[in-house]
Amino acid sequence: MRILLLTSRLPYPPYRGDKLKIFNLIKQLSKRGHEITLLSFISSKDELQYVTMLKEYCSEVKTIYLPVWKSILNCICNIPANKPFQVAYYKSKTFKRQIENEFESKQFDIVHVHLIRMAQYMKDFRIPRILDLTDAGSLYLERFLNTNKNIIYKLLLKTELTRLSKYEKILEYFNRCLVCSAVDKEFLLKNAPKAKIDLLYNGIDLDYFTNTQNVEREPNRIIFTGNMSYFPNSDGVHYFVKEIFPLIKKQIQDAKLYIVGKDPPPSILKLAQHDIIITGFVHDIKDYYLKSSVVIAPIRFGAGTLNKILEPMALGVPVVTSFIGVEGLPVETGRDILIADTPEDFANAVVKVLKDPDMQKRLSENAKNIVRSLYDWKIIAEQLESYYYENLGKHL
Protein backbone atom coordinates (compact mmCIF):
# COMPACT_ATOMS: atom_id res chain seq x y z
CA MET A 1 0.00 0.00 0.00
CA ARG A 2 1.21 3.52 -0.80
CA ILE A 3 0.68 5.83 2.17
CA LEU A 4 1.10 9.60 2.34
CA LEU A 5 1.75 10.60 5.95
CA LEU A 6 1.34 14.23 7.03
CA THR A 7 2.85 15.36 10.35
CA SER A 8 3.33 18.73 12.03
CA ARG A 9 6.66 17.66 13.54
CA LEU A 10 9.37 15.44 12.17
CA PRO A 11 8.94 12.15 14.09
CA TYR A 12 12.56 11.87 15.14
CA PRO A 13 14.20 11.56 17.65
CA PRO A 14 11.39 9.34 18.99
CA TYR A 15 11.68 10.20 22.67
CA ARG A 16 8.17 11.16 23.74
CA GLY A 17 4.56 11.80 22.77
CA ASP A 18 3.51 12.25 19.15
CA LYS A 19 7.02 11.69 17.75
CA LEU A 20 7.32 8.38 19.56
CA LYS A 21 3.96 7.16 18.30
CA ILE A 22 4.41 8.12 14.66
CA PHE A 23 7.96 6.79 14.47
CA ASN A 24 6.90 3.39 15.79
CA LEU A 25 3.93 3.21 13.43
CA ILE A 26 6.19 4.10 10.49
CA LYS A 27 8.64 1.44 11.59
CA GLN A 28 6.02 -1.29 11.91
CA LEU A 29 4.14 -0.38 8.72
CA SER A 30 7.41 -0.42 6.81
CA LYS A 31 8.16 -3.91 8.11
CA ARG A 32 4.75 -4.99 6.85
CA GLY A 33 5.71 -3.97 3.31
CA HIS A 34 3.97 -0.61 2.96
CA GLU A 35 5.51 2.28 1.01
CA ILE A 36 5.43 5.48 3.08
CA THR A 37 5.98 9.03 1.88
CA LEU A 38 6.44 11.33 4.87
CA LEU A 39 5.69 15.03 4.48
CA SER A 40 6.48 17.01 7.61
CA PHE A 41 7.11 20.49 8.91
CA ILE A 42 10.43 21.40 10.49
CA SER A 43 11.00 24.56 12.55
CA SER A 44 14.80 24.42 12.38
CA LYS A 45 17.23 23.44 9.62
CA ASP A 46 19.07 21.41 12.26
CA GLU A 47 16.29 18.83 12.02
CA LEU A 48 17.42 17.86 8.53
CA GLN A 49 20.07 15.65 10.13
CA TYR A 50 17.27 13.23 11.12
CA VAL A 51 15.95 12.69 7.60
CA THR A 52 18.49 9.94 6.95
CA MET A 53 17.25 7.93 9.96
CA LEU A 54 13.65 8.18 8.78
CA LYS A 55 14.56 7.13 5.23
CA GLU A 56 15.43 3.73 6.65
CA TYR A 57 11.66 3.16 6.90
CA CYS A 58 10.17 5.68 4.43
CA SER A 59 10.49 5.58 0.67
CA GLU A 60 10.61 9.39 0.72
CA VAL A 61 10.93 12.04 3.43
CA LYS A 62 10.12 15.61 2.44
CA THR A 63 10.26 18.58 4.79
CA ILE A 64 8.76 22.04 4.71
CA TYR A 65 10.61 24.70 6.71
CA LEU A 66 8.25 26.73 8.88
CA PRO A 67 10.26 28.98 11.23
CA VAL A 68 8.77 29.86 14.59
CA TRP A 69 8.57 33.57 13.74
CA LYS A 70 6.34 32.79 10.78
CA SER A 71 4.07 30.56 12.89
CA ILE A 72 3.73 33.33 15.47
CA LEU A 73 2.87 35.77 12.68
CA ASN A 74 0.23 33.31 11.49
CA CYS A 75 -1.29 33.32 14.97
CA ILE A 76 -1.30 37.12 15.19
CA CYS A 77 -3.07 37.37 11.84
CA ASN A 78 -5.53 34.75 13.08
CA ILE A 79 -6.72 36.82 16.07
CA PRO A 80 -9.81 38.22 14.30
CA ALA A 81 -10.55 34.87 12.64
CA ASN A 82 -12.32 31.84 14.11
CA LYS A 83 -9.74 29.12 13.57
CA PRO A 84 -7.94 27.58 16.56
CA PHE A 85 -4.50 29.07 17.04
CA GLN A 86 -2.88 25.63 16.87
CA VAL A 87 -4.31 25.30 13.35
CA ALA A 88 -3.20 28.79 12.32
CA TYR A 89 0.28 28.05 13.69
CA TYR A 90 0.76 25.40 10.99
CA LYS A 91 -0.83 27.26 8.08
CA SER A 92 1.38 27.08 5.00
CA LYS A 93 0.68 27.55 1.30
CA THR A 94 3.99 25.83 0.58
CA PHE A 95 2.89 22.71 2.44
CA LYS A 96 -0.39 22.58 0.53
CA ARG A 97 1.43 22.98 -2.80
CA GLN A 98 3.76 20.15 -1.85
CA ILE A 99 0.78 17.88 -1.22
CA GLU A 100 -0.59 18.77 -4.65
CA ASN A 101 2.80 17.99 -6.20
CA GLU A 102 2.83 14.60 -4.47
CA PHE A 103 -0.59 13.72 -5.88
CA GLU A 104 0.52 14.77 -9.39
CA SER A 105 3.69 12.67 -9.28
CA LYS A 106 2.50 9.59 -7.40
CA GLN A 107 -0.61 7.47 -6.92
CA PHE A 108 -1.41 7.04 -3.22
CA ASP A 109 -3.85 4.55 -1.75
CA ILE A 110 -4.54 6.45 1.46
CA VAL A 111 -3.49 9.57 3.38
CA HIS A 112 -2.74 9.41 7.12
CA VAL A 113 -3.07 12.83 8.75
CA HIS A 114 -1.60 13.19 12.23
CA LEU A 115 -3.34 15.58 14.66
CA ILE A 116 -6.19 17.98 14.06
CA ARG A 117 -3.82 20.87 13.31
CA MET A 118 -3.00 19.12 10.02
CA ALA A 119 -6.60 18.33 9.04
CA GLN A 120 -6.79 21.66 7.18
CA TYR A 121 -4.67 20.19 4.37
CA MET A 122 -6.92 17.25 3.48
CA LYS A 123 -10.47 18.52 3.97
CA ASP A 124 -11.16 18.99 0.25
CA PHE A 125 -9.18 16.17 -1.39
CA ARG A 126 -11.10 13.16 -2.73
CA ILE A 127 -8.92 10.31 -1.58
CA PRO A 128 -9.30 7.84 1.33
CA ARG A 129 -8.01 9.69 4.36
CA ILE A 130 -7.62 8.94 8.05
CA LEU A 131 -7.24 11.55 10.78
CA ASP A 132 -5.16 10.28 13.68
CA LEU A 133 -6.09 12.59 16.56
CA THR A 134 -4.51 10.56 19.38
CA ASP A 135 -6.75 12.38 21.87
CA ALA A 136 -9.55 14.94 22.09
CA GLY A 137 -7.97 18.38 22.04
CA SER A 138 -11.13 20.06 23.31
CA LEU A 139 -11.26 17.71 26.30
CA TYR A 140 -7.65 18.53 27.13
CA LEU A 141 -8.32 22.27 26.93
CA GLU A 142 -11.51 22.03 28.99
CA ARG A 143 -9.65 20.28 31.80
CA PHE A 144 -6.74 22.68 31.55
CA LEU A 145 -9.15 25.61 31.77
CA ASN A 146 -10.81 24.18 34.87
CA THR A 147 -7.51 23.81 36.75
CA ASN A 148 -5.88 27.08 35.72
CA LYS A 149 -6.17 30.08 38.06
CA ASN A 150 -4.48 32.79 35.99
CA ILE A 151 -7.22 35.13 34.70
CA ILE A 152 -5.41 36.09 31.47
CA TYR A 153 -4.43 32.51 30.74
CA LYS A 154 -8.01 31.36 31.40
CA LEU A 155 -9.29 33.90 28.88
CA LEU A 156 -6.86 32.64 26.22
CA LEU A 157 -7.72 29.02 26.98
CA LYS A 158 -11.44 29.72 26.79
CA THR A 159 -10.99 31.40 23.41
CA GLU A 160 -9.00 28.48 22.04
CA LEU A 161 -11.45 25.95 23.50
CA THR A 162 -14.41 27.70 21.85
CA ARG A 163 -12.64 27.80 18.50
CA LEU A 164 -11.38 24.22 18.68
CA SER A 165 -14.77 22.83 19.72
CA LYS A 166 -16.32 24.37 16.58
CA TYR A 167 -13.39 23.34 14.39
CA GLU A 168 -13.66 19.69 15.42
CA LYS A 169 -16.59 19.48 13.02
CA ILE A 170 -13.85 18.90 10.42
CA LEU A 171 -13.66 15.30 11.67
CA GLU A 172 -16.76 14.58 9.59
CA TYR A 173 -14.78 15.18 6.38
CA PHE A 174 -12.54 12.17 7.02
CA ASN A 175 -13.28 8.53 6.25
CA ARG A 176 -12.18 7.60 9.74
CA CYS A 177 -10.79 9.32 12.82
CA LEU A 178 -8.69 7.61 15.48
CA VAL A 179 -8.28 8.27 19.20
CA CYS A 180 -6.66 6.20 21.92
CA SER A 181 -9.51 6.01 24.45
CA ALA A 182 -13.29 5.67 24.52
CA VAL A 183 -13.51 8.76 26.74
CA ASP A 184 -11.91 10.90 24.02
CA LYS A 185 -14.17 9.33 21.39
CA GLU A 186 -17.38 10.13 23.26
CA PHE A 187 -16.26 13.69 23.94
CA LEU A 188 -15.45 14.35 20.28
CA LEU A 189 -18.80 13.00 19.11
CA LYS A 190 -20.47 15.93 20.90
CA ASN A 191 -18.77 18.33 18.48
CA ALA A 192 -18.79 16.09 15.41
CA PRO A 193 -21.78 13.72 15.75
CA LYS A 194 -21.49 12.39 12.19
CA ALA A 195 -17.79 11.56 12.46
CA LYS A 196 -16.62 7.97 12.15
CA ILE A 197 -14.37 7.57 15.20
CA ASP A 198 -12.57 4.39 16.25
CA LEU A 199 -9.91 3.44 18.76
CA LEU A 200 -6.20 3.04 18.11
CA TYR A 201 -4.24 2.58 21.32
CA ASN A 202 -0.90 4.14 22.05
CA GLY A 203 1.78 1.49 22.18
CA ILE A 204 4.98 0.30 23.77
CA ASP A 205 8.16 -0.97 22.16
CA LEU A 206 8.22 -4.30 23.98
CA ASP A 207 11.57 -5.19 22.42
CA TYR A 208 12.95 -2.37 24.58
CA PHE A 209 10.57 -2.27 27.54
CA THR A 210 11.25 -5.80 28.70
CA ASN A 211 12.96 -6.48 31.99
CA THR A 212 15.94 -8.63 31.07
CA GLN A 213 18.37 -6.73 33.26
CA ASN A 214 19.52 -7.71 36.72
CA VAL A 215 18.77 -4.34 38.28
CA GLU A 216 18.08 -4.12 41.99
CA ARG A 217 15.29 -1.79 43.05
CA GLU A 218 16.18 0.89 45.55
CA PRO A 219 13.80 0.84 48.54
CA ASN A 220 11.57 3.91 48.81
CA ARG A 221 12.69 5.34 45.49
CA ILE A 222 9.85 7.16 43.69
CA ILE A 223 10.03 8.29 40.09
CA PHE A 224 8.09 10.72 37.89
CA THR A 225 8.91 10.77 34.16
CA GLY A 226 7.91 12.93 31.21
CA ASN A 227 8.76 15.88 29.03
CA MET A 228 8.93 18.66 31.63
CA SER A 229 8.13 21.42 29.13
CA TYR A 230 4.68 19.83 28.74
CA PHE A 231 2.51 21.72 31.22
CA PRO A 232 0.47 18.77 32.60
CA ASN A 233 3.78 17.15 33.57
CA SER A 234 5.25 20.22 35.26
CA ASP A 235 1.93 20.80 36.99
CA GLY A 236 1.93 17.20 38.22
CA VAL A 237 5.46 17.57 39.58
CA HIS A 238 4.64 20.73 41.53
CA TYR A 239 1.40 19.24 42.83
CA PHE A 240 3.19 16.11 44.04
CA VAL A 241 6.13 17.93 45.64
CA LYS A 242 3.98 20.52 47.43
CA GLU A 243 0.94 18.51 48.49
CA ILE A 244 1.73 14.78 48.39
CA PHE A 245 5.44 14.18 49.00
CA PRO A 246 5.42 15.81 52.49
CA LEU A 247 2.67 13.36 53.52
CA ILE A 248 4.77 10.45 52.32
CA LYS A 249 7.84 11.74 54.16
CA LYS A 250 5.91 11.71 57.43
CA GLN A 251 5.53 7.95 57.08
CA ILE A 252 8.74 7.07 55.21
CA GLN A 253 11.49 9.53 56.11
CA ASP A 254 14.08 8.21 53.65
CA ALA A 255 11.78 8.34 50.60
CA LYS A 256 13.44 9.89 47.55
CA LEU A 257 11.84 11.39 44.47
CA TYR A 258 13.49 11.25 41.04
CA ILE A 259 12.11 13.67 38.44
CA VAL A 260 13.26 12.36 35.06
CA GLY A 261 12.61 14.07 31.74
CA LYS A 262 13.88 16.58 29.22
CA ASP A 263 13.69 20.37 29.45
CA PRO A 264 12.85 20.94 33.13
CA PRO A 265 11.98 24.65 33.53
CA PRO A 266 13.60 26.81 36.23
CA SER A 267 10.55 26.36 38.47
CA ILE A 268 11.21 22.60 38.58
CA LEU A 269 14.99 22.90 38.85
CA LYS A 270 14.44 24.96 42.02
CA LEU A 271 12.76 21.95 43.65
CA ALA A 272 16.03 19.99 43.80
CA GLN A 273 17.31 19.00 47.24
CA HIS A 274 18.82 15.98 48.94
CA ASP A 275 15.63 13.89 48.58
CA ILE A 276 14.41 15.35 45.25
CA ILE A 277 16.73 14.56 42.34
CA ILE A 278 16.15 16.20 38.95
CA THR A 279 18.00 14.46 36.14
CA GLY A 280 16.86 16.23 32.98
CA PHE A 281 16.99 14.09 29.84
CA VAL A 282 18.36 10.54 30.19
CA HIS A 283 19.29 8.17 27.36
CA ASP A 284 18.15 4.97 29.08
CA ILE A 285 14.83 5.59 30.82
CA LYS A 286 14.43 1.84 31.39
CA ASP A 287 17.29 1.78 33.89
CA TYR A 288 15.67 4.59 35.90
CA TYR A 289 12.36 2.75 35.98
CA LEU A 290 13.89 -0.52 37.11
CA LYS A 291 15.82 1.06 39.97
CA SER A 292 12.60 2.60 41.32
CA SER A 293 10.10 0.99 43.68
CA VAL A 294 7.10 2.94 42.42
CA VAL A 295 6.22 5.22 39.50
CA ILE A 296 3.89 8.13 40.18
CA ALA A 297 1.72 10.04 37.71
CA PRO A 298 -0.39 12.59 39.62
CA ILE A 299 -1.83 14.11 36.46
CA ARG A 300 -4.63 16.63 37.03
CA PHE A 301 -5.64 17.33 33.45
CA GLY A 302 -5.00 16.03 29.97
CA ALA A 303 -6.41 13.51 27.53
CA GLY A 304 -5.34 10.32 25.79
CA THR A 305 -3.15 7.50 27.06
CA LEU A 306 0.11 8.27 28.84
CA ASN A 307 3.41 6.58 28.01
CA LYS A 308 4.55 7.29 31.55
CA ILE A 309 1.89 4.77 32.64
CA LEU A 310 2.39 2.09 29.98
CA GLU A 311 6.20 1.99 30.09
CA PRO A 312 6.61 1.07 33.77
CA MET A 313 3.64 -1.30 33.55
CA ALA A 314 5.44 -3.15 30.74
CA LEU A 315 8.55 -3.40 32.92
CA GLY A 316 6.62 -4.56 35.98
CA VAL A 317 7.23 -1.43 38.07
CA PRO A 318 4.19 -0.58 40.26
CA VAL A 319 2.31 2.59 39.33
CA VAL A 320 0.22 5.03 41.36
CA THR A 321 -1.73 7.54 39.31
CA SER A 322 -4.80 9.76 39.19
CA PHE A 323 -8.05 8.73 37.53
CA ILE A 324 -7.27 11.00 34.57
CA GLY A 325 -3.91 9.26 34.20
CA VAL A 326 -5.53 5.90 33.39
CA GLU A 327 -8.69 7.10 31.67
CA GLY A 328 -9.49 4.63 28.92
CA LEU A 329 -7.08 1.95 30.13
CA PRO A 330 -8.57 -1.47 31.03
CA VAL A 331 -7.08 -1.48 34.52
CA GLU A 332 -8.48 -2.07 37.97
CA THR A 333 -7.18 -0.29 41.04
CA GLY A 334 -5.66 -2.69 43.53
CA ARG A 335 -5.19 -5.38 40.87
CA ASP A 336 -3.06 -3.78 38.14
CA ILE A 337 -2.35 -0.31 39.43
CA LEU A 338 -3.32 2.03 42.29
CA ILE A 339 -5.54 5.03 41.55
CA ALA A 340 -6.07 8.01 43.85
CA ASP A 341 -7.02 11.65 43.39
CA THR A 342 -6.74 13.48 46.72
CA PRO A 343 -3.29 14.25 48.16
CA GLU A 344 -4.00 12.09 51.23
CA ASP A 345 -5.21 9.10 49.21
CA PHE A 346 -2.36 9.42 46.74
CA ALA A 347 0.26 9.56 49.51
CA ASN A 348 -1.27 6.56 51.28
CA ALA A 349 -1.30 4.57 48.03
CA VAL A 350 2.41 5.27 47.44
CA VAL A 351 3.25 4.30 51.03
CA LYS A 352 1.20 1.12 50.69
CA VAL A 353 3.19 0.06 47.62
CA LEU A 354 6.53 0.89 49.22
CA LYS A 355 5.75 -1.09 52.37
CA ASP A 356 4.01 -4.13 50.87
CA PRO A 357 6.20 -6.51 48.79
CA ASP A 358 3.23 -8.77 48.03
CA MET A 359 1.31 -5.86 46.54
CA GLN A 360 4.36 -4.86 44.49
CA LYS A 361 4.53 -8.36 43.03
CA ARG A 362 0.79 -8.54 42.27
CA LEU A 363 0.68 -5.14 40.57
CA SER A 364 3.84 -5.96 38.63
CA GLU A 365 2.63 -9.23 37.11
CA ASN A 366 -0.90 -8.08 36.30
CA ALA A 367 0.29 -4.84 34.69
CA LYS A 368 2.80 -6.66 32.48
CA ASN A 369 0.11 -9.05 31.23
CA ILE A 370 -2.22 -6.21 30.24
CA VAL A 371 0.41 -4.23 28.35
CA ARG A 372 1.78 -7.23 26.48
CA SER A 373 -1.65 -8.33 25.31
CA LEU A 374 -2.89 -4.92 24.12
CA TYR A 375 -0.15 -2.34 23.67
CA ASP A 376 2.56 -3.92 21.55
CA TRP A 377 3.29 -1.65 18.55
CA LYS A 378 3.10 -4.72 16.31
CA ILE A 379 -0.51 -5.32 17.38
CA ILE A 380 -1.40 -1.64 17.02
CA ALA A 381 0.13 -1.43 13.53
CA GLU A 382 -1.98 -4.43 12.49
CA GLN A 383 -5.10 -2.64 13.74
CA LEU A 384 -4.14 0.53 11.85
CA GLU A 385 -3.51 -1.51 8.73
CA SER A 386 -7.00 -3.01 9.02
CA TYR A 387 -8.47 0.52 9.18
CA TYR A 388 -6.53 1.40 6.03
CA TYR A 389 -7.90 -1.58 4.11
CA GLU A 390 -11.47 -0.96 5.29
CA ASN A 391 -11.31 2.55 3.81
CA LEU A 392 -9.56 1.87 0.50
CA GLY A 393 -11.57 3.26 -2.39
CA LYS A 394 -13.91 5.24 -0.17
CA HIS A 395 -14.35 8.95 -0.90
CA LEU A 396 -16.41 11.47 1.02
Side-chain angles (χ1 to χ4, degrees), residues 214-307:
N214 187 21
V215 178
E216 186 175 349
R217 284 183 184 169
E218 296 180 13
N220 303 326
R221 172 168 162 157
I222 305 165
I223 185 173
F224 181 104
T225 69
N227 184 341
M228 295 303 151
S229 63
Y230 183 52
F231 191 80
N233 286 338
S234 60
D235 173 77
V237 167
H238 284 288
Y239 168 56
F240 184 81
V241 170
K242 293 176 182 177
E243 300 191 38
I244 300 172
F245 196 44
L247 301 177
I248 295 172
K249 295 287 285 185
K250 286 181 180 179
Q251 300 182 64
I252 303 177
Q253 293 183 0
D254 63 345
K256 283 190 176 182
L257 171 64
Y258 282 75
I259 300 170
V260 181
K262 63 180 295 194
D263 301 328
S267 63
I268 287 183
L269 293 174
K270 289 178 183 177
L271 299 174
Q273 48 189 295
H274 74 281
D275 56 358
I276 300 178
I277 297 91
I278 299 164
T279 68
F281 172 77
V282 297
H283 285 282
D284 189 3
I285 189 67
K286 181 166 72 170
D287 185 62
Y288 279 82
Y289 279 136
L290 293 175
K291 287 180 179 178
S292 303
S293 294
V294 63
V295 172
I296 52 111
I299 302 301
R300 297 196 289 181
F301 62 90
T305 303
L306 305 178
N307 289 322

Side-chain angles (χ1 to χ4, degrees), residues 328-346:
L329 292 181
V331 295
E332 181 181 317
T333 188
R335 184 192 67 186
D336 318 301
I337 202 168
L338 291 187
I339 307 171
D341 269 344
T342 68
E344 294 78 12
D345 289 345
F346 204 101

Side-chain angles (χ1 to χ4, degrees), residues 124-226:
D124 300 319
F125 285 99
R126 290 182 57 80
I127 182 173
R129 53 206 183 275
I130 284 181
L131 178 58
D132 179 3
L133 295 155
T134 298
D135 56 34
S138 53
L139 175 59
Y140 168 87
L141 287 175
E142 183 176 284
R143 287 173 169 172
F144 195 0
L145 177 64
N146 291 336
T147 59
N148 200 281
K149 297 179 181 179
N150 185 294
I151 296 176
I152 296 176
Y153 212 5
K154 283 178 78 73
L155 179 62
L156 293 173
L157 286 170
K158 190 172 183 179
T159 300
E160 182 70 356
L161 174 58
T162 301
R163 293 184 178 199
L164 182 59
S165 296
K166 292 178 180 178
Y167 189 78
E168 284 175 342
K169 190 79 172 174
I170 200 172
L171 272 62
E172 297 178 354
Y173 289 86
F174 287 79
N175 298 89
R176 194 178 299 250
C177 302
L178 303 174
V179 293
C180 63
S181 86
V183 174
D184 295 82
K185 174 182 175 179
E186 294 306 314
F187 197 89
L188 285 168
L189 285 172
K190 297 176 186 177
N191 297 328
K194 295 181 181 179
K196 174 66 173 174
I197 305 176
D198 285 297
L199 300 185
L200 185 73
Y201 290 144
N202 275 344
I204 287 292
D205 182 357
L206 292 179
D207 292 335
Y208 176 72
F209 286 105
T210 298
N211 186 2
T212 58
Q213 300 170 238
N214 187 21
V215 178
E216 186 175 349
R217 284 183 184 169
E218 296 180 13
N220 303 326
R221 172 168 162 157
I222 305 165
I223 185 173
F224 181 104
T225 69

Side-chain angles (χ1 to χ4, degrees), residues 350-374:
V350 172
V351 170
K352 189 182 296 184
V353 172
L354 293 176
K355 288 186 173 182
D356 190 341
D358 291 336
M359 173 172 280
Q360 289 182 23
K361 185 176 180 181
R362 180 173 71 252
L363 296 177
S364 173
E365 292 304 316
N366 291 338
K368 280 194 291 186
N369 291 337
I370 287 175
V371 173
R372 294 185 181 284
S373 64
L374 294 174

